[in-house]
Amino acid sequence: MTPSPSARAPGSLLAAAGGIALVVAARLRSGEFSLLERPWDASALTWAALVAFAGSAAGLRSALAGAVLLLAAAWAACVIAVLGAVPAIGLAGGAALAAASLRFAVAAARRRPRTVAIALAVTAAVAAGATFAGLRIHDTYLGPTHPPSPLRAAPVDLVEWAWAGAVSPESFTVTAQLAGGVAAAADVVLVVRREPGAGEVGRFPPAAISTAGVARFDVSGLEPATRYRWAIAARGRQERYRTGTLTTLPAGPASFTLAFGSCASTGSSGQVFDRIREAAPLLFIHAGDFHYEDIDDDAPAAIRRAYARSLRAPAQQSLWLEVPVLYTWDDHDYGGNDSDRTTRSRDAARTVYRELVPHYPLPLEGPVAQAVTVGRVRVIVTDGRSERDPSRAPGGPGKSMLGQAQLAWLLDELLRARDEAALIIWVNSVPWISNDPSSDSWAAYSEERRRIADFLVEHRIENLVMLSGDAHMLAADDGSNNRYASDRSGPGFPVYHAAALDRRGSVKGGPYSEGAYPGGGQFGLLTVEDAGTEIRVTFSGRNWRGVELLRHERVFPVGSRP
């Protein structure tokens, strides 16, 4: 006897519920309903939900058709969960689809057991083949580029993640996600001790605790070039696992090493982070693409989750606990691919950055531009995303990557640093050297690039080095290809790229005098040797094994400058 549509209705309702759960999961991942946008797992969940709804409808007419479609949808949800980041409700939806598929299969088997067995076997075989192909494609384009770190995640105690930044000769800042209920404790403080083994320096209450439970601690009254240990305390005890160390910045002439890099898949825990930590840099400069969630909607909760996935990754968390960070975003962690000031995520991204990131003072109301002095070196960081005009906009004097306010701030910083610093480091997230206006580079903003180059030449700002990310490569140019002034006389400063921390390799821009080395698991070290009358800068591009792939040196005479 063939089951009536009313008899099949419970299975269809169960399948519809599973499909709705997948839609909710996709919405939680991306902040919107989308079939083609990133992150990929959100779009994939949406497609699986559509298959589930088709199976729910088909099941009312044919139990076998419903069973086949729902098995495919449940299998897809399982694979997506393994490869991506699926909220719990998505897993529940997959389970509901599997149960609905089984219900329909049992109903159909009562009448045509052989046909049902063959159909389900074929479906499973096709799904298995598609899974194998999907895994290969995922690993090729989105999977890890090098071996994972042997470090394992520590249990959650008082905090879920923590990192330090905004370090100066006398101060630093820590931000941390407090574990459930800790934010309500009246005795939450950051305990700071001088290393090694010295007594307590102070207990600093949070400057702010956001509604999401993220605490910000501002530490002051410290001594330059001194090692300190910090730990969050609450409920009468200190955090057991996520405690950090750092060295305050030197106050005068000093030699030191900075690490820099960009572009890591969300939640990456590759060995490249171990190599950076083992190099013991004074500061890690992150030039963008901290995660690859491509959230281009006004979704602060989704942005927080994206940061948290990377901050909690064992190798990254270990690095952030031992090396303070200076971070600016690029496209994938600000909005979607090639995002600009028009993205819907702009306000949310700016708000969450100020909440989660231990940043230096932000002199401008919107962009996350900032600067700090390290010894006799001025480090200037620009925001190349949240003020930029769309790259597809017509070129001309009015087209800007930085926006007028940030450009004016940058030029003022450069001019003052020419006289007040022995060396200037400009951290710019996208390729400067490029002749392709269709690419995501300064070539699409050539008039503004020329204006900056003319300013540098006119004011004889010659003590400048640029650090960049975005392109998934190690690259160096000695300045010979950096001739964008109106008369092609300069500016001629060296440009160093270091990426990708954990993404597939690619080359952008160029040409680069010292070559380009695409790949994942790569980072850069910039050693600054201050000899008084000159400063030697050495760029070392390395891979996850710690092997140097690229090296370039430049000596800057100090002369009468400080």
Side-chain angles (χ1 to χ4, degrees):
M1 177 178 178
T2 302
S4 66
S6 59
R8 292 194 289 263
S12 291
L13 290 174
L14 182 60
I20 292 171
L22 295 188
V23 170
V24 172
R27 183 70 169 77
L28 290 174
R29 280 288 290 127
S30 67
E32 63 180 337
F33 180 85
S34 174
L35 293 174
L36 297 175
E37 295 295 326
R38 301 183 182 186
W40 73 269
D41 44 4
S43 298
L45 282 172
T46 304
W47 282 104
L50 293 179
V51 175
F53 292 138
S56 174
L60 291 173
R61 297 179 61 85
S62 168
L64 178 57
V68 168
L69 288 171
L70 293 175
L71 175 61
W75 194 307
C78 178
V79 173
I80 296 166
V82 170
L83 297 178
V86 176
I89 191 171
L91 300 178
L97 295 176
S101 175
L102 179 62
R103 184 183 182 96
F104 280 130
V106 170
R110 291 177 183 149
R111 187 165 172 268
R112 294 180 293 171
R114 181 180 177 82
T115 301
V116 170
I118 293 174
L120 293 181
V122 170
T123 301
V126 171
T131 299
F132 177 78
L135 289 172
R136 294 295 299 271
I137 293 172
H138 177 275
D139 288 346
T140 298
Y141 294 101
L142 299 174
T145 58
H146 61 287
S149 168
L151 297 175
R152 294 293 176 262
V156 173
D157 187 20
L158 298 178
V159 301
E160 296 182 12
W161 54 256
W163 56 344
V167 62
S168 77
E170 304 88 16
S171 62
F172 66 87
T173 294
V174 169
T175 58
Q177 176 69 62
L178 302 180
V182 175
D187 62 341
V188 178
V189 294
L190 186 76
V191 180
V192 178
R193 290 183 170 83
R194 186 167 176 169
E195 287 276 274
E200 193 174 291
V201 172
R203 292 179 169 242
F204 299 85
I209 300 180
S210 73
T211 56
V214 177
R216 175 179 297 273
F217 302 89
D218 295 327
V219 178
S220 58
L222 307 178
E223 296 188 15
T226 302
R227 192 75 174 165
Y228 292 93
R229 176 169 293 278
W230 54 266
I232 292 171
R235 299 171 175 170
R237 64 178 180 84
Q238 291 186 24
E239 162 73 24
R240 296 186 183 96
Y241 308 107
R242 294 168 181 84
T243 65
T245 59
L246 57 75
T247 300
T248 49
L249 302 184
S255 298
F256 52 86
T257 296
L258 307 175
F260 71 105
S262 67
C263 308
S265 295
T266 309
S268 169
S269 191
Q271 290 189 28
V272 66
F273 299 105
D274 297 337
R275 301 296 88 77
I276 297 170
R277 176 172 49 84
E278 290 162 3
L282 183 64
L283 190 67
F284 180 76
I285 298 174
H286 200 302
D289 291 341
F290 194 85
H291 61 76
Y292 269 73
E293 295 302 276
D294 292 291
I295 300 166
D296 61 357
D297 198 15
D298 184 16
I303 296 173
R304 290 190 191 96
R305 287 194 297 269
Y307 277 107
R309 283 185 61 198
S310 290
L311 288 166
R312 289 196 302 256
Q316 290 201 54
Q317 178 65 112
S318 183
L319 172 61
W320 311 135
L321 291 174
E322 294 190 28
V323 181
V325 68
L326 171 55
Y327 158 61
T328 187
W329 53 38
D330 197 38
D331 50 349
H332 299 284
D333 47 351
Y334 161 70
N337 188 43
D338 296 346
S339 49
D340 52 54
R341 63 177 175 80
T342 66
T343 182
R344 292 169 297 175
S345 66
R346 185 189 196 211
D347 291 342
R350 285 174 164 180
T351 298
V352 173
Y353 180 98
R354 285 163 167 81
E355 175 192 1
L356 267 61
V357 177
H359 56 77
Y360 289 96
L362 304 178
L364 303 173
E365 182 177 345
V368 297
Q370 53 201 285
V372 61
T373 298
V374 185
R376 296 198 297 167
V377 179
R378 186 66 169 170
V379 181
I380 303 170
V381 182
T382 49
D383 173 355
R385 289 294 166 183
S386 73
E387 289 294 307
R388 77 154 66 181
D389 295 322
S391 60
R392 64 183 179 276
K399 186 177 180 182
S400 176
M401 178 179 289
L402 301 177
Q404 293 308 305
Q406 185 178 197
L407 176 60
W409 172 83
L410 170 63
L411 298 182
D412 180 66
E413 278 283 343
L414 290 169
L415 190 59
R416 286 192 294 108
R418 178 198 65 179
D419 301 321
E420 297 176 3
L423 178 70
I424 307 168
I425 297 174
W426 176 12
V427 180
N428 153 64
S429 66
V430 297
W432 171 265
I433 298 176
S434 175
N435 300 312
D436 180 6
S438 67
S439 66
D440 183 22
S441 71
W442 275 92
Y445 305 83
S446 58
E447 289 296 318
E448 186 172 55
R449 179 175 61 181
R450 180 192 56 76
R451 179 179 174 185
I452 296 171
D454 284 345
F455 182 88
L456 294 169
V457 171
E458 176 188 355
H459 293 280
R460 301 186 64 184
I461 301 174
E462 300 168 348
N463 55 330
L464 175 63
V465 171
M466 176 179 284
L467 306 183
S468 287
D470 185 61
H472 299 177
M473 65 185 184
L474 297 170
D477 188 82
D478 62 5
S480 59
N481 293 299
N482 181 7
R483 303 291 176 181
Y484 297 111
S486 297
D487 61 2
R488 310 294 291 176
S489 63
F493 56 78
V495 176
Y496 302 135
H497 280 265
L501 291 167
D502 195 7
R503 297 290 287 188
R504 298 296 165 185
S506 64
V507 174
K508 287 186 181 180
Y512 301 101
S513 65
E514 312 306 304
Y517 298 79
Q522 301 185 150
F523 67 101
L525 295 178
L526 193 76
T527 300
V528 176
E529 298 174 87
D530 190 337
T533 58
E534 66 177 29
I535 287 187
R536 180 181 298 274
V537 175
T538 303
F539 166 57
S540 175
R542 304 188 178 191
N543 64 16
W544 61 271
R545 294 184 176 90
V547 175
E548 183 175 83
L549 304 180
L550 179 61
R551 185 181 186 88
H552 184 261
E553 293 185 0
R554 181 77 168 261
V555 176
F556 295 87
V558 176
S560 60
R561 293 193 298 270

